[in-house]
Amino acid sequence: MSDLLPDGTYRGWADLLAARLAALEPEFRYANLAVRGKLIGQIAADQVGPAAAMEADLVTLVGGLNDVLRPGCDTARVCALLEESVAALAPSCGTLVLMRSPGRRGPVLERYRPRMEQLFDFIDGLADRYGAVVVDLFSSHALGDPRMWADDRLHLTAEGHRRVAEAVWQRLGLPAESAWDTPLPPAAPPSWAARRAADLRFARVHLLPWIGRRLTGRSSGDGRAPKRPGLAPLTGTG
């Protein structure tokens, strides 16, 4: 999300990473099963089985954060479903990559920090038990900068996605192309009026629709299919 291409489609860090890996391997094939807004139960039910069946050399699994950002989240159930997913994927792939997802600095992060830290500590334990690799983005200073986040305050900007792709690339032991956690240059803070205008725009465009979906049990990903449901050669991504 929020890494918009000229044709109106989204790219994102996984596509960026895949394009770089494809340059190393002529026979490279890539699938992307992710769908926006999915909870870990949906990921476990709809995506893990097909991903495991691919027996890929590399699988990335990022899930659980949408759950812990919801009121009344059953964190124990989220962790149990994550473990079920990892247990299914780890034996079927060469390398399984898990992620401590980044968080935008501010009051929302502080409100949910205990749940997020509980989730990420559990992910660290999963990596130890199943031989997975963890990319720690939650500790990143640069990715916590509000300027790295889109107007919806939930998804990274194009620059944020580029940095995540570089972080995963380096965690895989590949040669660094940039220092992905370098902080953005200092900037003058926005004025009070500019902050209030941004808050009002965020509430109108993003927050109220999000609340409406929660109240009606809907998701932004309802009715959406994965953009790359099967392993296929990569063309036109970069």
Side-chain angles (χ1 to χ4, degrees), residues 17 21 58 60 95 97 133 135 167-174:
L17 177 67
L21 292 171
L58 173 66
T60 62
T95 299
V97 175
V133 172
V135 181
V168 179
W169 174 268
Q170 292 182 23
R171 188 67 181 85
L172 292 171
L174 296 166

Side-chain angles (χ1 to χ4, degrees), residues 2-235:
S2 302
D3 185 10
L4 195 62
L5 293 171
D7 65 0
T9 62
Y10 292 109
R11 182 174 51 183
W13 66 266
D15 285 3
L16 290 167
L17 177 67
R20 293 173 66 178
L21 292 171
L24 301 178
E25 173 51 63
E27 301 301 318
F28 182 84
R29 294 182 301 153
Y30 169 52
N32 189 326
L33 304 180
V35 176
R36 70 183 71 168
K38 293 301 182 183
L39 303 176
I40 187 58
Q42 296 167 308
I43 294 171
D46 301 336
Q47 299 173 18
V48 169
M54 292 176 190
E55 298 184 340
D57 297 302
L58 173 66
V59 172
T60 62
L61 171 63
V62 183
L65 189 60
N66 285 338
D67 297 79
V68 301
L69 294 179
R70 292 192 174 202
C73 169
D74 184 347
T75 307
R77 178 178 178 274
V78 171
C79 291
L81 287 168
L82 263 177
E83 181 145 22
E84 289 179 15
S85 300
V86 170
L89 289 168
S92 70
C93 67
T95 299
L96 176 62
V97 175
L98 307 176
M99 189 173 289
R100 294 166 58 95
S101 300
R104 182 184 186 273
R105 289 197 301 272
V108 174
L109 173 62
E110 295 311 313
R111 178 180 179 184
Y112 291 103
R113 181 184 292 275
R115 284 188 194 171
M116 294 171 69
E117 291 180 342
Q118 182 181 350
L119 173 68
F120 297 151
D121 287 347
F122 187 79
I123 286 173
D124 287 341
L126 287 178
D128 290 339
R129 292 194 293 278
Y130 293 92
V133 172
V134 177
V135 181
D136 184 9
L137 305 176
F138 187 62
S139 299
S140 166
H141 178 75
L143 291 177
D145 190 318
R147 292 174 291 172
M148 285 286 190
W149 295 78
D151 287 344
D152 66 3
R153 304 181 183 180
L154 286 174
H155 298 100
L156 292 166
T157 62
E159 173 62 12
H161 281 284
R162 186 194 68 78
R163 292 187 183 224
V164 171
E166 178 67 23
V168 179
W169 174 268
Q170 292 182 23
R171 188 67 181 85
L172 292 171
L174 296 166
E177 292 190 3
S178 62
W180 67 270
D181 201 20
T182 300
L184 293 175
S191 67
W192 182 91
R195 294 197 305 273
R196 296 294 77 77
D199 289 343
L200 289 171
R201 184 171 60 254
F202 163 72
R204 182 180 70 255
V205 176
H206 301 291
L207 181 60
L208 291 177
W210 182 88
I211 292 172
R213 290 194 298 271
R214 295 294 78 76
L215 292 174
T216 56
R218 294 178 293 118
S219 166
S220 59
D222 287 349
R224 294 184 180 274
K227 64 181 177 181
R228 296 183 62 91
L231 290 171
L234 187 65
T235 58

